[in-house]
Amino acid sequence: MAVVGGAWSRAGMALRRALSAAGRRCAQRLCSVAPGDTIFAVSSGHGRCGVAVIRTSGPGSGGALRSLTGNAELPPPRVMALRRIRDPHTAELLDRGLVVWFPGPRSFTGEDCAELHVHGGPAVVSGVLRALGRLCGLRPAEPGEFTRRAFHRGKLDLTAAEGLRDLIHAETEAQRQQALRQMDGELGRLYRRWGETLTQALAHVEAYIDFSEDDNVEEEVLSQVDAAVRALEREMAAHLRDGRRGELLRVGVRAVIAGPPNVGKSSLLNLLCQRPAAIVSPVAGTTRDVVEVSLNVSGYPVVLSDTAGLRDATDPIEREGVSRARERLQHADLVLAVLDATSVPTDPDELGAALRSLVPPATPCVLVLNKADLLGGCTGALDACTRGSPLPPTTLLSCKTGEGTDRLLQLLGQQLAQLCGDPLAGSPSLTQSRHSAHLRGCMAALAQYRQQQDVGMAAEQLRVARRHLGHITGHVGAEDILDVIFRDFCIGK
């Protein structure tokens, strides 16, 4: 047995030396690839999982795949192949997994890419990453670098890249729908169409400047440009009047719970988030600071804040809490005004005055009459709210028993749908503040165009307007904003 075991040991050592030599030859071939970095990273997220995906991109991707699999032949493009994955410098078996080869330009980044689908244990993943890091010409990717390379190779514009980032961070159904639509290029196509309109208008104006003296261009061409610019202004103005729907859906609707002390505001927060996020006490003025939680309500993202009870406080700490509550209300997108159902004013005018003391003007509101369990089945408080001057959507609720929760969620869903809109309906919504800023700059330039008496100055304003649209999609002067966009990506994206 010792002789047989020794023979097997010698054979194993010979095999390891052969594999190691083959790995070194593959690594040497990798060092002779075309210039340019080849990057690698885990693309499937970190932590223990069934399968982890490790991605490479760059001219050395093919050599890296050959080196780790010990196979001189690459698998057929875009076809998964089962391979043994080894460290090319030691010939140590790291895992047995699936590999995919994506030759450029038909890949996500437009470069040669490879993927290794390995078991997701930390030891396996770190072993493969270590092996890749030892190869000449490969380095770990920076956050968002895969997507940035895709942008530079024309695989997607900046709006689509932002859509991809939003899809990665999407937590609700509506966020996913909006991000997918933007990643598919709808928003980018809209802005490119506007840019093409401005390009055509600018070309006509410059043609008039260059050739009007030769009578080759009629003066009515300027009237056609003016009509096109006016139509574009109307379309942009409508786009900017979307009430921040896309941005609200992307970052979350800021909803604030407000009301007098001891009406059940903290109990309402705990009821909606289904956990004891805020301290509840029968002592008035328990909540001093703002307590904030993120929720998914009817598929819409909500950042819900519980605030201090609004009253003329004498305690300096409570007074600071009231000040913070009022400041948060000034920035609210939606207010949940909570009143005690057992003591709510029955006079509509008094009730309206109570609401105005809680809710800033023009801010959407849902009126919640809490402690309905103490009414003994009497709905007089709710009936009083339906008489007289129109009031916001109103519902009875018992935070103690949960009665009325479904109706409250229904009203909340309706308000959120009005604020965020349907992400699948109509033209795509604005999702980024930088889009709004550049569109306003574009419209300002178009307004200046209409005021110009000199045709040459009018042409310059068209160029400025066109440049603003190019900044949004990345087709004009995008380098200064690339870092801001791509820094929020995960590594491996």
Side-chain angles (χ1 to χ4, degrees):
M1 289 297 294
V3 173
V4 174
W8 275 109
S9 176
R10 287 192 296 274
M13 291 176 63
L15 177 61
R16 288 174 66 87
R17 283 195 297 270
L19 287 170
S20 181
R24 282 193 296 273
R25 286 194 297 273
C26 285
Q28 290 167 0
R29 285 199 301 272
L30 181 63
C31 290
S32 64
V33 298
D37 282 346
T38 297
I39 57 175
F40 65 89
V42 179
S43 292
S44 55
H46 297 277
R48 288 180 175 82
C49 54
V51 176
V53 179
I54 299 171
R55 173 191 284 176
T56 71
S57 179
S61 292
L65 192 56
R66 292 188 188 97
S67 189
L68 264 70
T69 60
N71 195 324
E73 294 295 324
L74 290 170
R78 292 168 291 279
V79 175
M80 282 190 164
L82 182 63
R83 294 286 188 271
R84 293 182 182 275
I85 299 170
R86 297 178 181 272
D87 186 326
H89 286 82
T90 65
E92 178 188 2
L93 179 65
L94 301 174
D95 197 12
R96 191 160 160 263
L98 297 171
V99 299
V100 196
W101 166 238
F102 298 95
R106 295 180 60 189
S107 68
F108 172 70
T109 63
E111 303 177 320
D112 288 349
C113 292
E115 288 183 0
L116 296 94
H117 297 238
V118 299
H119 293 97
V124 174
V125 173
S126 62
V128 175
L129 292 177
R130 236 183 350 259
L132 286 170
R134 291 181 183 140
L135 296 176
C136 180
L138 269 74
R139 64 169 177 81
E142 299 292 333
E145 191 170 1
F146 286 91
T147 307
R148 186 166 185 156
R149 290 188 175 203
F151 165 75
H152 280 303
R153 288 186 169 261
K155 304 297 284 188
L156 73 175
D157 67 14
L158 287 185
T159 60
E162 289 166 332
L164 174 58
R165 179 190 60 189
D166 291 345
L167 183 62
I168 292 170
H169 295 292
E171 296 181 351
T172 72
E173 185 70 8
Q175 284 179 318
R176 178 189 64 80
Q177 292 171 343
Q178 177 173 272
L180 273 173
R181 191 176 180 187
Q182 184 170 334
M183 190 181 72
D184 194 43
E186 281 197 54
L187 197 59
R189 285 192 291 271
L190 175 66
Y191 295 151
R192 282 196 298 275
R193 176 170 64 80
W194 291 350
E196 290 165 4
T197 299
L198 288 176
T199 299
Q200 186 178 27
L202 179 60
H204 287 173
V205 172
E206 291 184 338
Y208 179 83
I209 294 172
D210 292 337
F211 304 112
S212 61
E213 293 182 359
D214 302 330
D215 294 329
N216 292 325
V217 179
E218 299 179 357
E219 287 194 12
E220 67 181 30
V221 73
L222 295 182
S223 299
Q224 295 172 0
V225 170
D226 288 345
V229 167
R230 282 194 298 270
L232 185 57
E233 283 183 296
R234 288 193 296 269
E235 197 171 351
M236 285 186 179
H239 190 58
L240 284 167
R241 284 196 304 266
D242 73 342
R244 296 178 51 245
R245 288 184 172 187
E247 195 172 347
L248 284 177
L249 183 54
R250 186 177 68 84
V251 302
V253 174
R254 293 169 299 185
V256 176
I257 303 174
N262 213 26
V263 294
K265 299 184 299 300
S266 298
S267 298
L268 176 57
L269 179 83
N270 293 343
L271 176 69
L272 290 176
C273 71
Q274 299 183 348
R275 62 183 177 87
I279 297 173
V280 175
S281 167
V283 178
T286 301
T287 302
R288 302 294 179 92
D289 210 344
V290 177
V291 180
E292 191 175 273
V293 296
S294 296
L295 300 176
N296 178 348
V297 179
S298 301
Y300 296 99
V302 178
V303 181
L304 184 63
S305 300
D306 178 29
T307 59
L310 300 178
R311 65 175 176 180
D312 294 328
T314 56
D315 179 81
I317 299 178
E318 185 182 357
R319 195 160 53 240
E320 175 63 22
V322 172
S323 175
R324 295 187 181 190
R326 294 198 182 279
E327 181 182 2
R328 188 61 63 99
L329 279 167
Q330 293 302 316
H331 298 92
D333 302 309
L334 176 66
V335 175
L336 278 68
V338 185
L339 295 176
D340 188 335
T342 63
S343 59
V344 65
T346 55
D347 180 72
D349 293 335
E350 291 183 25
L351 181 57
L355 278 176
R356 285 191 295 273
S357 70
L358 301 176
V359 184
T363 303
C365 170
V366 174
L367 175 56
V368 181
L369 304 178
N370 190 30
K371 304 185 182 181
D373 54 293
L374 302 179
L375 295 176
C378 177
T379 60
L382 187 60
D383 294 338
C385 292
T386 60
R387 298 195 305 267
S389 57
L391 292 172
T394 304
T395 184
L396 284 170
L397 176 71
S398 171
C399 290
K400 183 177 182 179
T401 66
E403 183 183 358
T405 304
D406 291 342
R407 173 60 179 165
L408 172 60
L409 291 175
Q410 181 186 13
L411 292 179
L412 275 176
Q414 293 171 357
Q415 292 293 312
L416 293 170
Q418 291 180 16
L419 286 168
C420 298
D422 184 348
L424 299 179
S427 61
S429 298
L430 282 163
T431 59
Q432 306 282 338
S433 58
R434 77 174 190 91
H435 297 179
S436 302
H438 282 302
L439 287 175
R440 291 191 180 93
C442 180
M443 290 196 66
L446 294 180
Q448 287 292 319
Y449 160 83
R450 287 189 285 102
Q451 296 173 11
Q452 295 298 328
Q453 300 298 319
D454 181 78
V455 181
M457 294 299 295
E460 178 59 26
Q461 293 304 321
L462 289 178
R463 277 189 284 272
V464 172
R466 182 170 168 268
R467 198 174 301 124
H468 275 293
L469 285 179
H471 276 292
I472 298 177
T473 59
H475 291 123
V476 177
E479 198 62 38
D480 57 341
I481 57 172
L482 290 182
D483 290 335
V484 176
I485 291 172
F486 292 115
R487 71 185 179 194
D488 293 334
F489 275 87
C490 304
I491 294 175
K493 298 294 186 288

